[in-house]
Structure formats: C-alpha cells, structure tokens
Amino acid sequence: MGFTPFKMERWQSTYEHRVDYNLSESGVHPLTVGELLSYSDDSVDLSAIRLGYIQSNGSDELRATIAALYPGATDRSVVVTTGGAEANFVAFWELAKRGRPVAAMWPNYMQVPGLAHNFEGGVLPFSLREDAGWRPDLDQLESALKAGAGFVAITHPNNPTGVALTPGEIDEIVALADRHGAWILSDEVYQGAEAGAEPVRSFWGLYDKVVVTNSLSKAYGIPGTRLGWCLAPDDMAERLWARSDYTTIAPAAVSDVLARVALSPEVRPKVLARTQGIVRRNFAVLAEWLASRDGLFRCTPPDAGAICIVRYHAPIGSEELAERLRVDQSLLIVPGAQVGVESTMRIGFGPPEDELRRALGRLGAGFDGVLA
Ligand SMILES: Cc1ncc(COP(=O)(O)O)c(C=O)c1O
C-alpha cells in the first residue's frame, strides 16, 4: 500500500503564507506572546526561561493545571505533546490494532483516517449526515464495530462541520463502544470555542476506555506554541508517554510556560471569551454574506470553532474551485474533497473582521467567474 499524504495539511502548509487572504485556517486570528501575557497580572520573564529539555510528559505544574480542567483527572492522566497532532498520533499508534480498521467519523479532519491507511488497517466511516444537519449515523457506527473496528475515532466538535455531538449522542456512542469493548479516541480541540452559551461536553469521565486529545491551537488561539495533550486512564497515559519518547521526546520549554499562563484560572476565561466572541461575530458576517448570494450556498451553523462546511451550487469540483480561487483571487479555502465532502468548501472565518469581509469579496468574485 502506498503512502497516503495528508492532503489538506499539505495544501495549507504550501500556500497559506503565500496568499492575500487565508480562509483555510480553522482557528481564530492568533494572539501574540505579548497579548497572551497581558491577560495575566503575574509577570513572566521569557528571557529567563532555560532552554533545556523539560520533563518529557510536560512539567508537573502544567499537567496538574490541565488535569484540573477534567473532573477526576490527576497529573498522571495527562501527557503533554507537541500539538494535538502529536497527541492524535501517539494515541492512534497505541490504539490501532494490527490490520484492523478504525471506525472514524465522516467528514473528518483526516489525520486519523490517513494514519489508518498508512498503517494499513483502513477506515470504516460512520457518517455525519448532512441532510440531518450533520447528525451522526450511529447504525453505521454499530456496523463498523460489528465488522471488527479496532477503536472509534471521534472529532468532537467536528472538523470540518463545526458540529458538536449532543449529550444523548455521546451516551449512545459510549454504549456502543462499551458493548464491543472498543476504545474511543475523542479529539476535542474545538472545545472551548463554542458559538452558543453551553459548553460542549467532553467524553472524559464517561467511560473507562477513553483517550481525549486537545491543544492550545483553536479555543486558545495560540497554535504556534505547538502544545497539546492526551488525557487517559493512568496506565494508558503511561503507554502514550512511552510512545512520545519516539516522536518529539518533550514539549518545547517556552511553550510549557506559555501553556501554564493560558490555562491558568486567571487567563483561561479571558482567552476563551475572546475566541468565542470572534466565532460569534464572524459567523454572523459569513452567514449574512452567504444568504445574500440567493441560494448559491447552504451551510449548517457550527456549534464551535471558526469553521463550517459550505455547499455550493455551481458546476465545478471543489479542488478545481480552490485552485482557481488561489490563482485568480489569491484566496485560500479548503476544498471539500480534502475533508470528505465534494461540492463543498470549508471556510475558516477566524481572521479579523475587516479581513474576513475583504476575503468574502474575493470569494464572491471567484464565484462570479465560475458562474459567468
Ligand atoms: C480536529 C483537529 N485535530 C487536531 C488538529 C491539530 O492541531 P494542532 O496540532 O495545532 O493542535 C487540528 C488542526 O487543524 C484539528 O482540526
């Protein structure tokens, strides 16, 4: 079996810094170090940070700070990683059973499905059904488990749709996994970036075979720290830590300090409020713009994150559309084909509002060209 590239990440990493407008990003406009530190009354002297290897599963203080966010967790439940990407990688590596497929939510961010292909187990998708407002098809999940899926991969809230599972759906997924003795890997990086008032419920604490992954990239708006974590029962956390000895050894020393600031009881609510404010205001801008285009677009409002899937009614494949927008309009979007839904585009609406408005102007001009 050949290598399956991570098409969306490659598309973004090749072009996102080379276009005028980037609507391919799934986070909000990132904070500077100075902005982050300004949320705290304590002063942090970055110049005094010694650039050695730190405790390789994250400093004791950071692990305790993360554990405090999850009822029943302790610092032994946490493995700090280099981004959610490494967290997902070590979790996948530990949970994947040789030759057995993964039951993966679809559409998807595609990291875990790509790994499943590359490690040769393959994927049994269970759909979020667009006609039902992206609700999960749990009969498909049950079929995947009956067909021998090694574990269940959830992205909750989902990338690309931004839709979160309801408490009832979460309970049903846990019950199905339990019936088949399967682990659940719940990637929760968009938790905390809610559009509504209710926080999204974590899978943590609902089942004894859960690994939760998360990071500072989306809800906290500081992806450049490249800091994430796995949360798991103690013995599983030990095994994940052992895997990370092979990947990055330890998180970056500066990022561990910045993470302690971002996740502190003083700063965390302010950072999350900033993100949620951007998500709410900017989605309203996008929704108004989409509606102004007379039935050309359809979009289910996301529950969390600065992303949504927009279905367009125009005679062009999503990859050709994205390439035309990039070349003709210097605008980057994610073609739906890269996240598992053709004739759609994933729009990231996290840039500053004036930039978002100008980018939508380019998107409109691009569609005018397609429809001419
Ligand atoms: C669902 C999901 N998981 C994980 C990641 C990886 O993010 P990071 O490594 O920046 O935490 C992303 C990034 O877009 C994502 O959307």
Side-chain angles (χ1 to χ4, degrees), residues 191-308:
Q191 212 191 71
E194 287 87 357
E198 280 296 301
V200 166
R201 180 167 149 202
S202 172
F203 272 77
W204 178 255
L206 302 179
Y207 178 46
D208 56 357
K209 290 186 177 159
V210 167
V211 177
V212 164
T213 55
N214 206 328
S215 82
L216 298 181
S217 296
K218 314 298 174 185
Y220 301 90
I222 45 175
T225 54
R226 307 304 307 123
L227 193 128
W229 59 89
C230 299
L231 192 76
D234 290 2
D235 51 346
M236 173 56 81
E238 278 286 328
R239 295 203 292 277
L240 298 173
W241 181 16
R243 302 262 169 176
S244 76
D245 291 340
Y246 278 109
T247 49
T248 59
I249 305 179
V254 177
S255 297
D256 192 286
V257 173
L258 294 175
R260 279 180 257 160
V261 174
L263 295 172
S264 66
E266 180 195 11
V267 173
R268 183 171 177 266
K270 297 178 199 166
V271 173
L272 295 185
R274 169 189 181 265
T275 300
Q276 291 166 10
I278 294 173
V279 166
R280 287 167 197 157
R281 285 191 304 275
N282 284 11
F283 183 69
V285 171
L286 174 63
E288 193 187 354
W289 184 85
L290 292 173
S292 74
R293 298 291 310 220
D294 293 335
L296 178 56
F297 301 118
R298 200 176 70 225
C299 172
T300 300
D303 297 310
I307 41 171
C308 60

Side-chain angles (χ1 to χ4, degrees), residues 15-26:
Y15 297 119
E16 67 187 333
H17 299 292
R18 299 192 172 118
V19 287
D20 293 345
Y21 295 100
N22 180 17
L23 298 186
S24 75
E25 177 50 56
S26 59

Side-chain angles (χ1 to χ4, degrees), residues 6 8-9 12 25-27 82-88 108-111 154-159 187-190 213-218 223-224 226-228 307 346:
F6 196 160
M8 184 189 75
E9 285 296 342
Q12 287 186 255
E25 177 50 56
S26 59
T82 300
E86 187 192 15
N88 284 337
N108 198 292
Y109 166 59
M110 296 301 192
Q111 182 187 7
I154 306 282
T155 311
H156 163 67
N158 177 254
N159 178 355
D187 176 340
E188 301 181 354
V189 296
Y190 295 97
T213 55
N214 206 328
S215 82
L216 298 181
S217 296
K218 314 298 174 185
R226 307 304 307 123
L227 193 128
I307 41 171
R346 192 190 75 179

Side-chain angles (χ1 to χ4, degrees), residues 288-362:
E288 193 187 354
W289 184 85
L290 292 173
S292 74
R293 298 291 310 220
D294 293 335
L296 178 56
F297 301 118
R298 200 176 70 225
C299 172
T300 300
D303 297 310
I307 41 171
C308 60
I309 277 286
V310 176
R311 182 165 289 280
Y312 57 81
H313 302 286
I316 184 168
S318 63
E319 288 185 298
E320 189 189 340
L321 170 70
E323 181 64 5
R324 275 177 68 169
L325 291 170
R326 182 184 77 77
V327 174
D328 298 345
Q329 304 294 333
S330 194
L331 167 71
L332 204 68
I333 53 134
V334 170
Q338 291 181 356
V339 287
V341 248
E342 195 34 285
S343 300
T344 70
M345 50 190 175
R346 192 190 75 179
I347 298 289
F349 51 87
E353 191 180 318
D354 54 337
E355 199 176 307
L356 173 64
R357 287 184 188 277
R358 288 197 300 276
L360 292 175
R362 299 272 181 110

